[in-house]
Amino acid sequence: MTGSNNRTPLIAGNWKMNTTAEEGHALAVGILEGISARAVGFSTVGCDIGFYPPATSLGLIADLCSTFEGCRVLVGAQNMHAETSGAFTGEISSAMVLSCGADSVLLGHSERRHVFNETDSEIGAKMETAVDAGLTAVLCVGETIEERDAENTTEVVGNQLEAGLEKLTEAAQLEEVIIAYEPVWAIGTGRTATPAQAQEVHAFIREQLGSAFEKRGAKGAGHEKTRILYGGSVKPDNAAELLSQPDIDGALVGGASLDAESFLGICEGCG
Ligand code: 13P
């Protein structure tokens, strides 16, 4: 269902380093079949879904989704390099993502930032490459528990946002961006931000996006169209309340996206 704000909710599964090609295929088939079976409420004007499988299954999952008509499906990589080619063993480029039939990429996920030490400026460079290549770039931002306890949440998230969008100098480029707010302390911990805590940061992000669009000379209210997803221990039993918040336009789901029924349960939270 498209809300009064005209933003179609997006429920996206970040599979992280889980699923072989065979397992990922079975998972995606289960979800697509579930959506078809529950067609009421999942018409083409219902929620969009997204799959972010490991790079090794990207082509397979993109192929599978390419003919699906039950709802819009984004398929994307979990990361990519800022350079378009070269001697970067183990990395993948935007063109490789596109050549798999995928149309999106997650960038700046907290595990990339905190486990692989990606910096804001690297993430900003990747954002530029991704958007220039025509990919829908999902910029992930979020504070650690120490940062929240020190009341630095908006400063941290504001800085990540600014650095992530810095190289997108045109308002039209910003339109290709989705933001995912994922408080680090809520990821994989079972500890979800309360709907009010999440809404507060989402509203702040939307306000920041408003300034970003304005700075780039946008005439309309582009920030009112940008989808801002919440991520961090989203489950079927807490999804509906989170998704009912005015600035929460969907979810980026880790653990619960690895089971078709629980992913579908979260989709049902879109109402
Ligand atoms: P969990 O849903 O497992 O907390 O993971 C969230 C996440 O990191 C999605 O990108």
Side-chain angles (χ1 to χ4, degrees):
M1 183 184 61
T2 306
S4 53
N5 53 40
N6 283 330
R7 296 187 295 267
T8 304
L10 168 63
I11 307 299
N14 172 9
W15 298 355
K16 308 192 179 184
M17 199 176 74
N18 297 294
T19 68
T20 59
E22 201 174 19
E23 290 162 350
H25 189 266
L27 174 60
V29 166
I31 291 170
L32 298 183
E33 284 181 355
I35 286 181
S36 298
R38 297 167 204 215
V40 182
F42 283 111
S43 67
T44 45
V45 290
C47 72
D48 295 346
I49 62 168
F51 294 134
Y52 292 85
T56 45
S57 317
L58 201 50
L60 185 71
I61 303 300
D63 265 3
L64 174 72
C65 297
S66 64
T67 52
F68 186 69
E69 290 178 347
C71 67
R72 182 162 180 238
V73 188
L74 271 90
V75 179
Q78 298 172 9
N79 181 35
M80 51 159 247
H81 201 277
E83 296 295 330
T84 51
S85 66
F88 301 105
T89 301
E91 293 289 322
I92 61 171
S93 71
S94 54
M96 293 171 196
V97 174
L98 285 166
S99 74
C100 287
D103 52 11
S104 180
V105 63
L106 299 181
L107 293 172
H109 189 276
S110 83
E111 286 142 26
R112 300 300 317 172
R113 292 177 189 269
H114 297 290
V115 183
F116 298 99
N117 300 318
E118 273 186 27
T119 63
D120 272 333
S121 75
E122 284 167 337
I123 295 160
K126 291 179 181 199
M127 287 291 295
E128 183 186 24
T129 306
V131 170
D132 284 353
L135 291 164
T136 298
V138 183
L139 174 63
C140 305
V141 297
E143 81 288 1
T144 63
I145 193 63
E146 292 77 18
E147 290 162 343
R148 174 162 281 264
D149 288 346
E151 298 183 2
N152 286 336
T153 298
T154 50
E155 190 189 334
V156 170
V157 169
N159 288 341
Q160 290 174 341
L161 206 56
E162 194 171 336
L165 302 178
E166 193 181 359
K167 291 187 186 310
L168 306 179
T169 53
E170 309 284 329
Q173 291 175 301
L174 288 189
E175 286 169 12
E176 302 311 313
V177 172
I178 294 173
I179 307 293
Y181 169 57
E182 301 201 297
V184 180
W185 48 272
I187 295 179
T189 59
R191 186 179 159 192
T192 324
T194 64
Q197 281 175 322
Q199 166 57 26
E200 189 181 8
V201 182
H202 280 234
F204 167 75
I205 291 172
R206 196 170 311 283
E207 189 188 300
Q208 296 296 106
L209 285 170
S211 316
F213 270 99
E214 205 178 301
K215 251 170 65 186
R216 290 157 179 82
K219 298 272 184 298
H223 64 295
E224 293 294 347
K225 294 193 191 131
T226 308
R227 288 189 283 194
I228 307 175
L229 315 182
Y230 169 77
S233 299
V234 178
K235 308 272 183 270
D237 62 0
N238 60 25
E241 207 186 343
L242 285 159
L243 293 165
S244 70
Q245 301 300 308
D247 289 294
I248 300 185
D249 309 314
L252 184 55
V253 187
S257 73
L258 296 171
D259 175 81
E261 278 310 307
S262 70
F263 185 82
L264 289 163
I266 293 168
C267 293
E268 282 177 350
C270 291

